[in-house]
Amino acid sequence: MVVAKVWKTEKPFEGTPQLSDFKLVEEKLADTLKEDEILIEAVYFTVDPYIRVLELPTGLPAEQVARIVDSKAKDFPKGSLVLAHVGWRSHAIINVKEPMNLGYKPAIVPQVAGLSPSLWLGIIGMPGVTAYMAFLERCDPKPGDVVVVSAASGAVGSVVGQLAFSKGCTVIGSAGSKEKCEWLKSLGFHHVFNYKEITPVDALKKYAPEGVDIYYDNVGGEFTEAVLNSLRPNARVLICGQIADYNRKRDEVPNPYVKILMAEAKVQGFLIFKHLDDFPRVRKELTALVQQKKLQPKETVTNGFQNMPQAFLDLFKGANFGKAIIKV
Amino acid sequence: MVVAKVWKTEKPFEGTPQLSDFKLVEEKLADTLKEDEILIEAVYFTVDPYIRVLELPTGLPAEQVARIVDSKAKDFPKGSLVLAHVGWRSHAIINVKEPMNLGYKPAIVPQVAGLSPSLWLGIIGMPGVTAYMAFLERCDPKPGDVVVVSAASGAVGSVVGQLAFSKGCTVIGSAGSKEKCEWLKSLGFHHVFNYKEITPVDALKKYAPEGVDIYYDNVGGEFTEAVLNSLRPNARVLICGQIADYNRKRDEVPNPYVKILMAEAKVQGFLIFKHLDDFPRVRKELTALVQQKKLQPKETVTNGFQNMPQAFLDLFKGANFGKAIIKV
């Protein structure tokens, strides 16, 4: 019989997690495997900040690379390594046909010469996939773009930065120690700053005086506020993590970015004056829609040039109805 | 000689504009036209909230439909109507080859039976083009989407709403009077509420209990905050106007949406757990990049299952460097 060691929490975290929040317990596993089940033993775990906000009813979430100790499942042979998402536990029995925590499915870790299996939890795992999909496939990086990455020495940020300069972007990264900053420089980051020594506002003045095209946000908080004041036209901001806010209580966080993140929402601004060339095309469409009675116009007409200021002031009182027009 | 009447302001607005901010002056125009010039006389003006935030060195901006009183410009015959963006003035001489305020170019207003020329300042003008481009071309409306439009009886909002239900969306609009709400219902809005009688939070509970897919934001402020708490996965938020904040001083407005609007930025959230099906594809790409040394991994490895809680706590202190891994 196998006894699993399992880390548990007895209640949801409050504020910053403490060592005393965790408790190590033992759990006896079933003696025999059923069809499609495997018995696994953890080799590597990953811990990620999202754990703080995604406590599951089934316990603390975490992906692991595990060795298959026994198997009754096709394509999951004994001795192979497998990615499993079954929490902070040393051993587990899982049915390979059933989804694990967060909907993950078990996947065999391939043997690739020179690559540690632990990379499948990092650069070839969730953080790497995140950087690839969120940055390359959603931020539309172009040569010459000024890209800012917060938490740049982290698991996601370091991949984002490397992908960014492979695309010809100018990359500015922040990290929290001299050692981290030096590593980022050695990777090829164009500008690196230690956020413990210089504020994001000052760093942006220095390294992005003409503004930022892409901000890859791993931290939130005042960093994000600073970058928002430095956005270039058509900037892209990718909200990936908000670690600065994870340990606050939800009702203390009037942070729109956590909401945008949680809904995977897309918030964009639109300034009509940047699109004057589209007017002839769209005016034709609109004229047809109005003629076909598919669009009904509404105007509030003020008579007299002398009343123009009042008509303008009325806009802020909600006195107008439809389009405010002044007829001379 | 033609004398133009011109509304001016002597200094930038502070807070809510007042009648006393405006001054009517007279301005003598040149006696003769040069090549490519036309003399115009205003017939209709538009006033729009953006005027509050876009005071120009050349005076108050506003588009007008004007009659061409005299012309030395090809394609701009005397007697025609023309769209001109030359401020709050009764008469002007403009060179049709030169851009006007905000980069606008003069355009002849076509004669369309049954349509007032003033519509080219509204539903077929800037507000209509805004609604069309920002909603139809940027919000990706799909049948069944729940769409919320603030300032729905306004020049932009009323067009957005009509375009939305033509796309099969369920449309919720807010307005500030019973009369406006009734008009919106008559247009076909599914749900309408008077924001002076019910808060956006309560209205959303009532009319969008399952959340919002598209929010077309004309007002900002607490309305936007309320909708952000009701976003469905993959929601789209279009920041078009922030009238609630226009009359505040800039440094009183820690409003990210004004910044997003002004940069036409795109802010989006990304939650990796919604994209598990993409993992195999992206893992293949990442493996190749790591093998080719185009991506360099970095791990901080903690030894021992018993140290897993500490490794997790270290994440919030910035103690990790690259990917945090626990080796059992």
Side-chain angles (χ1 to χ4, degrees):
Chain A
M1 196 188 61
V2 175
V3 176
K5 286 182 282 181
V6 185
W7 281 108
K8 295 207 159 175
T9 50
E10 288 182 326
K11 51 180 181 13
F13 296 121
E14 280 173 27
T16 305
Q18 309 291 330
L19 269 188
S20 55
D21 293 336
F22 298 88
K23 198 178 151 186
L24 190 58
V25 299
E26 297 201 336
E27 216 179 275
K28 292 175 189 170
L29 301 185
D31 282 327
T32 53
L33 296 180
K34 296 180 196 140
E35 191 65 27
D36 294 324
E37 283 186 342
I38 55 178
L39 170 66
I40 59 173
E41 181 176 60
V43 183
Y44 294 103
F45 286 95
T46 169
V47 284
D48 300 278
Y50 79 81
I51 292 171
R52 171 64 185 85
V53 280
L54 276 187
E55 289 170 89
L56 301 177
T58 51
L60 294 161
E63 201 173 13
Q64 59 178 261
V65 169
R67 187 165 305 281
I68 301 178
V69 177
D70 199 3
S71 173
K72 280 204 172 173
K74 193 165 161 282
D75 302 329
F76 289 83
K78 192 172 156 175
S80 298
L81 294 178
V82 66
L83 285 162
H85 213 306
V86 291
W88 295 29
R89 52 168 57 241
S90 66
H91 295 80
I93 291 173
I94 57 177
N95 182 319
V96 299
K97 300 234 164 129
E98 285 171 8
M100 302 175 291
N101 285 341
L102 303 173
Y104 273 70
K105 288 172 197 154
I108 291 290
V109 179
Q111 293 191 27
V112 181
L115 303 192
S116 161
S118 62
L119 297 183
W120 269 256
L121 297 173
I123 202 164
I124 303 173
M126 184 275 280
V129 174
T130 298
Y132 191 98
M133 291 188 73
F135 179 73
L136 279 191
E137 301 184 349
R138 279 160 182 78
C139 290
D140 190 23
K142 289 186 285 280
D145 278 349
V146 174
V147 175
V148 174
V149 188
S150 53
S153 71
V156 174
S158 60
V159 182
V160 168
Q162 295 180 67
L163 293 172
F165 44 76
S166 80
K167 284 283 168 185
C169 304
T170 299
V171 187
I172 303 167
S174 74
S177 76
K178 198 181 165 197
E179 185 197 4
K180 289 176 181 177
C181 288
E182 278 167 8
W183 177 62
L184 292 174
K185 288 294 266 186
S186 79
L187 284 179
F189 277 67
H190 300 86
H191 306 288
V192 176
F193 67 94
N194 183 339
Y195 65 83
K196 291 175 183 166
E197 290 176 358
I198 177 172
T199 65
V201 170
D202 288 338
L204 290 170
K205 266 185 211 154
K206 189 168 171 186
Y207 299 122
E210 288 169 30
V212 172
D213 295 295
I214 300 179
Y215 174 45
Y216 195 96
D217 178 21
N218 289 307
V219 303
E222 66 175 19
F223 203 123
T224 302
E225 295 304 323
V227 182
L228 275 196
N229 284 319
S230 295
L231 294 181
R232 268 191 190 167
N234 301 307
R236 285 81 75 202
V237 176
L238 197 296
I239 311 292
C240 181
Q242 294 278 289
I243 197 170
D245 278 332
Y246 286 172
N247 289 331
R248 293 196 215 169
K249 283 188 195 157
R250 271 313 156 87
D251 51 5
E252 282 175 2
V253 187
N255 176 339
Y257 310 106
V258 172
K259 295 166 194 167
I260 292 168
L261 172 60
M262 291 306 173
E264 283 202 307
K266 196 181 284 180
V267 179
Q268 60 185 310
F270 181 77
L271 272 188
I272 186 66
F273 305 115
K274 302 280 186 180
H275 304 278
L276 297 179
D277 290 345
D278 290 283
F279 274 51
R281 168 180 70 85
V282 179
R283 277 201 159 111
K284 239 176 257 177
E285 302 280 354
L286 289 166
T287 304
L289 290 169
V290 174
Q291 285 183 297
Q292 295 156 18
K293 312 275 183 214
K294 288 183 182 164
L295 282 183
Q296 295 186 43
K298 179 81 181 179
E299 297 180 333
T300 297
V301 179
T302 303
N303 281 297
F305 184 67
Q306 73 278 14
N307 296 319
M308 200 162 167
Q310 187 59 55
F312 173 60
L313 302 188
D314 285 348
L315 293 176
F316 299 98
K317 297 178 192 156
N320 62 305
F321 188 172
K323 184 71 205 82
I325 295 287
I326 294 89
K327 188 168 183 335
V328 177
Chain B
M1 195 187 61
V2 175
V3 177
K5 286 183 282 182
V6 185
W7 280 109
K8 296 207 159 174
T9 50
E10 288 181 325
K11 52 181 177 16
F13 295 121
E14 282 172 27
T16 305
Q18 309 292 330
L19 269 188
S20 56
D21 293 335
F22 299 88
K23 197 177 150 188
L24 190 58
V25 300
E26 298 200 336
E27 216 179 275
K28 293 174 189 170
L29 301 185
D31 282 327
T32 52
L33 296 180
K34 296 178 196 145
E35 191 65 27
D36 293 323
E37 283 187 342
I38 56 178
L39 170 66
I40 60 172
E41 181 176 61
V43 184
Y44 295 103
F45 285 94
T46 170
V47 284
D48 299 278
Y50 78 81
I51 293 170
R52 172 64 183 84
V53 279
L54 276 186
E55 289 172 87
L56 302 176
T58 51
L60 294 161
E63 200 173 13
Q64 58 178 264
V65 169
R67 187 164 305 281
I68 301 178
V69 177
D70 199 2
S71 172
K72 280 203 172 175
K74 195 167 159 281
D75 302 327
F76 289 82
K78 192 172 157 176
S80 297
L81 294 178
V82 65
L83 285 162
H85 213 306
V86 291
W88 296 29
R89 52 168 58 241
S90 65
H91 295 81
I93 291 172
I94 57 176
N95 182 320
V96 300
K97 302 234 163 129
E98 287 172 7
M100 302 174 292
N101 286 341
L102 303 172
Y104 274 69
K105 288 172 195 154
I108 291 290
V109 179
Q111 292 191 28
V112 181
L115 303 191
S116 161
S118 63
L119 296 184
W120 270 257
L121 297 173
I123 201 163
I124 304 173
M126 183 274 280
V129 174
T130 298
Y132 191 98
M133 291 188 74
F135 180 73
L136 280 191
E137 301 183 348
R138 281 162 180 76
C139 290
D140 190 23
K142 290 185 283 285
D145 278 349
V146 174
V147 176
V148 173
V149 188
S150 53
S153 71
V156 174
S158 60
V159 182
V160 168
Q162 295 180 69
L163 292 172
F165 44 76
S166 80
K167 284 282 167 187
C169 305
T170 299
V171 187
I172 303 167
S174 74
S177 76
K178 198 181 164 198
E179 185 197 4
K180 289 175 181 176
C181 288
E182 279 166 6
W183 178 62
L184 292 174
K185 288 294 264 185
S186 79
L187 284 179
F189 277 68
H190 300 86
H191 305 289
V192 176
F193 68 94
N194 183 339
Y195 66 84
K196 292 175 181 166
E197 290 177 357
I198 177 171
T199 65
V201 170
D202 288 338
L204 289 169
K205 268 185 211 155
K206 189 168 171 186
Y207 300 122
E210 289 170 30
V212 172
D213 295 296
I214 300 178
Y215 173 46
Y216 195 97
D217 178 21
N218 289 308
V219 303
E222 66 175 22
F223 203 122
T224 301
E225 295 304 322
V227 182
L228 276 195
N229 285 317
S230 295
L231 294 182
R232 269 191 189 165
N234 301 307
R236 285 81 75 201
V237 177
L238 196 295
I239 310 292
C240 181
Q242 294 279 290
I243 197 170
D245 279 330
Y246 286 171
N247 289 331
R248 295 195 213 167
K249 282 187 197 159
R250 272 311 156 85
D251 51 6
E252 283 175 1
V253 187
N255 175 339
Y257 311 105
V258 171
K259 295 167 194 166
I260 293 168
L261 172 60
M262 290 307 173
E264 283 202 308
K266 197 181 284 180
V267 179
Q268 59 186 311
F270 181 77
L271 272 187
I272 186 66
F273 305 115
K274 302 280 185 179
H275 304 278
L276 297 180
D277 290 346
D278 290 285
F279 274 51
R281 168 180 71 84
V282 179
R283 277 199 158 113
K284 237 176 259 177
E285 302 280 353
L286 290 166
T287 303
L289 290 170
V290 174
Q291 286 184 296
Q292 295 156 19
K293 312 273 183 215
K294 288 182 183 165
L295 283 184
Q296 296 186 44
K298 179 82 182 178
E299 296 180 334
T300 298
V301 178
T302 302
N303 282 298
F305 184 67
Q306 73 277 15
N307 296 320
M308 199 162 167
Q310 187 59 53
F312 173 61
L313 302 188
D314 285 347
L315 293 177
F316 298 98
K317 297 178 193 156
N320 63 304
F321 189 173
K323 183 72 206 81
I325 294 286
I326 294 89
K327 187 167 185 335
V328 177

